[in-house]
Amino acid sequence: MDNMIGSVLIALLLWATQPAIAESKNGFDVSNARVPVDEILRGGPPRDGIPSIDDPKFERPANSLPWRTNDLMLTFDAENARFAYPIGILNWHEIVNHDLDGTPLLITFCPLCGTGMAFDPEVEGRHLTFGVSGLLYNSDLLMYDHQTESLWSQIEGRAISGPLAGTELRPVAIRHELWGGWQERVGLDGQVLSTDTGHSRNYRMSPYGNYHHSERLYFPVTHTSRKYHPKTWVLGWTYNGESKAWPFPELADYGAVLDDQIGGKAVRIHYDPEVPSAELRDASGKLLPATRAFWFAWYTFHPETRIYEAD
């Protein structure tokens, strides 16, 4: 009996001292995840099943097909050029790794959250490039960087697992504009992402059907609110520890320009019902990197958010 007990104790000791087997999803090590691992969900496609655009080609608007006046674009103004990234392309690729003459820019889009966001992909002097992991957290795109294979939450702009866990990317301000309006604004300076992506896709068709109008969510989220329809557009921003959302229906009731404050900072919101979109600017008129998102997406990441409501 003593020998048997001794053998069991030795076996338990050996088991306890074995290195932990790394937990992985879609081939990514999530053993040091900063969020609950069971909330990191497979979206369906494997890693890179949604291919990022790593060598983007651009063309002049006059030569670009198949865009129409009311097609939505993410747009970015560089010093000497103006770029448009059609949502019709981003629906299928979600990430564009864009090198602007040595200055990197990361363009990201999550069709499930409606969030088009841009970042500076340099971390501690290292230029990172990104791909689509095939994983989601709170229904939002989890990106991964090719250099360390850390997973990054798009809406949070931070790595949630891997060697860079806890690291944050610097957000970059972009706009949401209609194709026709953008062309009028930028004139001859405009360049648009080409449909020559190296992949065969119907960029006139969204793979998500009527998702943008339905109350249905494809994946669970940690916090929900029924104050607005889940797919109501809001503009959200966090500053000095305070998060705030400006729902588009409230902005529509107020008017085109709203003066407000967040975290002690004076800001001005410019609302365009035609897109619809909204821009957040500081007192000097500088465009701020606010997030245009579905209400459910902003709320689940910012359940403590304040909400602007028109009087």
Side-chain angles (χ1 to χ4, degrees):
M1 176 68 74
D2 289 342
N3 288 339
M4 185 177 69
I5 293 174
S7 298
V8 171
L9 290 174
I10 291 172
L12 289 172
L13 180 61
L14 289 172
W15 174 82
T17 56
Q18 289 297 311
I21 298 174
E23 186 169 1
S24 67
K25 293 195 175 187
N26 271 9
F28 295 98
D29 181 0
V30 293
S31 57
N32 70 333
R34 300 293 182 92
V35 301
V37 172
D38 61 359
E39 294 175 10
I40 299 174
L41 304 179
R42 291 178 173 85
R47 174 200 304 224
D48 299 320
I50 297 174
S52 59
I53 298 177
D54 301 330
D55 184 22
K57 298 178 176 62
F58 291 85
E59 55 194 11
R60 294 298 178 185
N63 301 325
S64 183
L65 294 174
W67 311 119
R68 301 170 184 169
T69 299
N70 290 329
D71 285 336
L72 184 63
M73 309 277 144
L74 299 186
T75 69
F76 173 72
D77 290 358
E79 287 187 9
N80 300 313
R82 308 290 181 262
F83 296 96
Y85 311 84
I87 295 297
I89 296 178
L90 295 175
N91 271 328
W92 294 93
H93 296 282
E94 301 189 6
I95 290 176
V96 179
N97 292 292
H98 189 182
D99 189 338
L100 290 78
D101 297 324
T103 300
L105 178 67
L106 174 64
I107 298 292
T108 72
F109 181 69
C110 178
L112 296 180
C113 292
T115 42
M117 303 174 69
F119 301 94
D120 178 350
E122 284 200 355
V123 174
E124 297 179 351
R126 188 179 189 183
H127 175 191
L128 303 181
T129 57
F130 287 78
V132 181
S133 71
L135 299 171
L136 301 167
Y137 170 59
N138 270 337
S139 197
D140 183 44
L141 162 67
L142 282 180
M143 315 177 289
Y144 79 95
D145 69 82
H146 297 124
Q147 288 70 29
T148 74
E149 296 203 342
S150 299
L151 290 173
W152 300 74
S153 166
Q154 182 221 24
I155 289 180
E156 293 183 310
R158 66 163 182 144
I160 65 161
S161 72
L164 296 178
T167 305
E168 296 184 359
L169 295 173
R170 183 180 70 84
V172 174
I174 57 175
R175 292 181 170 94
H176 293 71
E177 297 181 88
L178 298 181
W179 175 240
W182 176 76
Q183 290 184 83
E184 290 179 8
R185 183 175 70 83
V186 305
L188 298 177
D189 292 333
Q191 298 183 54
V192 60
L193 180 65
S194 171
T195 56
D196 181 10
T197 62
H199 301 274
S200 179
R201 302 287 190 276
N202 182 356
Y203 294 123
R204 287 288 330 152
M205 183 191 76
S206 169
Y208 297 92
N210 71 343
Y211 172 83
H212 285 58
H213 305 288
S214 168
E215 289 199 4
R216 180 186 175 196
L217 304 185
Y218 291 165
F219 297 90
V221 295
T222 53
H223 300 90
T224 59
S225 166
R226 301 297 298 178
K227 185 172 180 63
Y228 299 98
H229 186 290
K231 309 296 175 54
T232 294
W233 287 113
V234 305
L235 188 72
W237 196 47
T238 298
Y239 179 76
N240 200 22
E242 180 181 329
S243 295
K244 192 164 187 177
W246 292 271
F248 285 11
E250 305 289 352
L251 293 177
D253 287 343
Y254 182 86
V257 180
L258 167 69
D259 289 311
D260 205 351
Q261 288 199 352
I262 176 173
K265 183 181 183 69
V267 293
R268 175 167 286 185
I269 298 90
H270 297 255
Y271 176 62
D272 182 351
E274 296 300 318
V275 178
S277 68
E279 296 177 2
L280 187 68
R281 296 179 179 273
D282 66 12
S284 70
K286 178 183 176 182
L287 186 66
L288 300 171
T291 302
R292 178 185 186 261
F294 292 138
W295 164 243
F296 89 85
W298 178 258
Y299 184 84
T300 197
F301 281 95
H302 307 88
E304 77 295 344
T305 191
R306 294 180 57 204
I307 303 169
Y308 167 77
E309 297 182 76
D311 295 334

